[in-house]
Amino acid sequence: ETGVTQTPRHLVMGMTNKKSLKCEQHLGHNAMYWYKQSAKKPLELMFVYNFKEQTENNSVPSRFSPECPNSSHLFLHLHTLQPEDSALYLCASSQGTASGNTIYFGEGSWLTVV
Amino acid sequence: QKEVEQDPGPLSVPEGAIVSLNCTYSNSAFQYFMWYRQYSRKGPELLMYTYSSGNKEDGRFTAQVDKSSKYISLFIRDSQPSDSATYLCAMIRNTGNQFYFGTGTSLTVIP
């Protein structure tokens, strides 16, 4: 149990589908993140939320739409994805976004776009 | 040039061996250094966290930072099959909280 729970763990979707990934953190943290992990590449930061306000959007295509209703929950809404979007999507949280705050990851959601 | 360089391996060692995992970096502003362990089909798990230069030990694991050489290492003593995983280095600058990750080194410890 990492304190950061992601659902679903596995998702297969067609390019015309709409689906959502959900993340919940039980650590009392104020910041939440979405990362994308692809084979042979470093983790790619997608979005950062601090006190449920988006503070960073790392030039992510609009087919990925984040939502943060409160400091404990984070969603990633997916629509009209491409096969190259298939990857492991990791949610993470940290106490804050000041320098030195380490982040704690969930188990990830494996996404396959067909 | 990438901000953080990490040899992807794979690295295969016999049980009981000492393992050395390394990352180099180019930005002298990096001040916080971490190692994460990621088992297959799981999320990364924080293993070690160090600030600035020096060594930090936790059980069989030692993290070493050499800021003058822009080089960090993770040593695993008496390696076990359960240490088989991908190890990711990560670092943060002294301002802001953006993480820079290596690509990860895949380690297999053979019984």
Side-chain angles (χ1 to χ4, degrees), chain B residues 38-111:
Chain B
Q38 186 173 20
Y39 290 115
S40 179
R41 307 193 74 78
K42 299 278 190 180
E45 166 196 13
L46 180 65
L47 200 56
M48 299 288 279
Y49 177 94
T50 52
Y51 170 71
S52 195
S53 281
N55 292 359
K56 182 175 182 179
E57 189 173 319
D58 184 0
R60 296 184 295 110
F61 298 90
T62 300
Q64 194 172 77
V65 175
D66 182 349
K67 291 191 71 181
S68 62
S69 301
K70 297 191 182 68
Y71 189 90
I72 68 170
S73 300
L74 177 71
F75 297 99
I76 308 174
R77 290 184 299 281
D78 187 25
S79 55
Q80 303 294 309
S82 59
D83 295 328
S84 299
T86 296
Y87 290 80
L88 302 163
C89 63
M91 43 200 82
I92 314 173
R93 291 188 296 228
N94 51 6
T95 56
N97 203 43
Q98 184 174 356
F99 277 65
Y100 293 82
F101 287 90
T103 51
T105 299
S106 175
L107 171 68
T108 300
V109 180
I110 302 167

Side-chain angles (χ1 to χ4, degrees), chain A residues 8-25:
Chain A
R9 293 293 317 280
H10 300 273
L11 178 63
V12 179
M13 61 186 287
M15 288 189 284
T16 59
N17 290 161
K18 287 185 180 181
K19 296 285 184 183
S20 296
L21 305 180
K22 178 183 174 183
C23 177
E24 182 175 0
Q25 59 96 359

Side-chain angles (χ1 to χ4, degrees), chain A residues 2-93:
Chain A
T2 66
V4 181
T5 304
Q6 289 187 241
T7 55
R9 293 293 317 280
H10 300 273
L11 178 63
V12 179
M13 61 186 287
M15 288 189 284
T16 59
N17 290 161
K18 287 185 180 181
K19 296 285 184 183
S20 296
L21 305 180
K22 178 183 174 183
C23 177
E24 182 175 0
Q25 59 96 359
H26 311 276
L27 300 170
H29 289 166
N30 299 310
M32 296 188 77
Y33 309 75
W34 280 116
Y35 278 86
K36 176 183 178 183
Q37 188 174 34
S38 305
K40 311 284 187 200
K41 290 186 179 179
L43 285 164
E44 298 173 51
L45 178 65
M46 300 176 73
F47 302 102
V48 181
Y49 280 81
N50 194 30
F51 291 98
K52 75 178 185 178
E53 297 298 321
Q54 187 178 115
T55 57
E56 190 154 349
N57 175 339
N58 202 21
S59 303
V60 180
S62 59
R63 57 186 184 270
F64 295 91
S65 175
E67 179 190 356
C68 189
N70 54 60
S71 292
S72 299
H73 294 85
L74 185 64
F75 296 88
L76 188 62
H77 303 299
L78 315 168
H79 61 100
T80 59
L81 295 190
Q82 305 299 309
E84 60 265 29
D85 296 323
S86 299
L88 177 65
Y89 289 85
L90 290 161
C91 175
S93 71

